[in-house]
Amino acid sequence: MDNEARIDKWLWAARIFKTRSIASDACKNGRVTIGGMNVKPSRPVKVGEVVDVKKPPVTYSFRVLKCIEQRVGAKLLPEVYENVTDPRQYEILEMSRISGFVDRARGTGRPTKKERRQMDAFVEPTIFGFDDEDDL
């Protein structure tokens, strides 16, 4: 059993995901691939395989150096896997951090000051702008 481990346990033990259930859900939802194929949480991972993990907007790649199912300290991680992520993926990550709220989709998060003023201008006449004189 030393040369293979369950992929969900390995992802958790290698500290790629915070909990094993999150790692398992990522496998079930197709965000973890080995050799371009989606994997189930119970699939064994072997030494030398490359595991791709999609954490939008980036796809991380890890080469398995050691199969473990028990969580280890952060200092021991270089013995467990090698990060072989394409440098372009990190550029994508940096661009998304820089863009921040500039490309925020409409309707998500808090409105900007301009959007709030537009909403107030739209809502106020209908709620507070009733003229009793017009109804007479």
Side-chain angles (χ1 to χ4, degrees):
M1 189 72 180
D2 198 38
N3 58 353
E4 65 180 34
R6 283 177 58 114
I7 186 68
D8 62 340
K9 284 187 178 183
W10 185 84
L11 290 168
W12 166 75
R15 297 177 178 263
I16 295 168
F17 288 103
K18 189 173 183 177
T19 65
R20 184 174 164 202
S21 61
I22 295 172
S24 180
D25 289 341
C27 293
K28 289 176 188 172
N29 294 328
R31 291 191 297 265
V32 178
T33 59
I34 296 177
M37 301 292 292
N38 290 342
V39 297
K40 292 182 178 180
S42 61
R43 186 208 188 273
V45 65
K46 298 174 182 157
V47 174
E49 289 183 323
V50 176
V51 178
D52 296 323
V53 179
K54 294 176 190 132
K55 289 186 178 181
V58 179
T59 301
Y60 297 97
S61 299
F62 305 100
R63 178 171 289 117
V64 179
L65 301 178
K66 186 176 181 183
C67 293
I68 57 171
E69 289 190 347
Q70 296 294 318
R71 201 160 172 112
V72 296
K75 290 182 180 180
L76 299 176
L77 289 181
E79 300 170 9
V80 176
Y81 66 82
E82 176 186 359
N83 190 348
V84 291
T85 305
D86 187 23
R88 284 179 271 165
Q89 295 293 324
Y90 289 113
E91 292 174 11
I92 293 170
L93 181 64
E94 189 61 31
M95 291 303 291
S96 68
R97 284 186 183 153
I98 290 171
S99 67
F101 286 103
V102 173
D103 295 328
R104 179 178 64 85
R106 291 264 184 219
T108 59
R110 293 176 58 179
T112 62
K113 192 172 187 178
K114 181 178 180 181
E115 291 170 339
R116 183 185 52 78
R117 287 182 177 159
Q118 289 173 344
M119 287 183 342
D120 289 344
F122 177 75
V123 172
E124 278 186 31
T126 60
I127 294 176
F128 303 110
F130 289 117
D131 290 337
D132 292 332
E133 301 157 14
D134 294 338
D135 293 340
L136 296 175

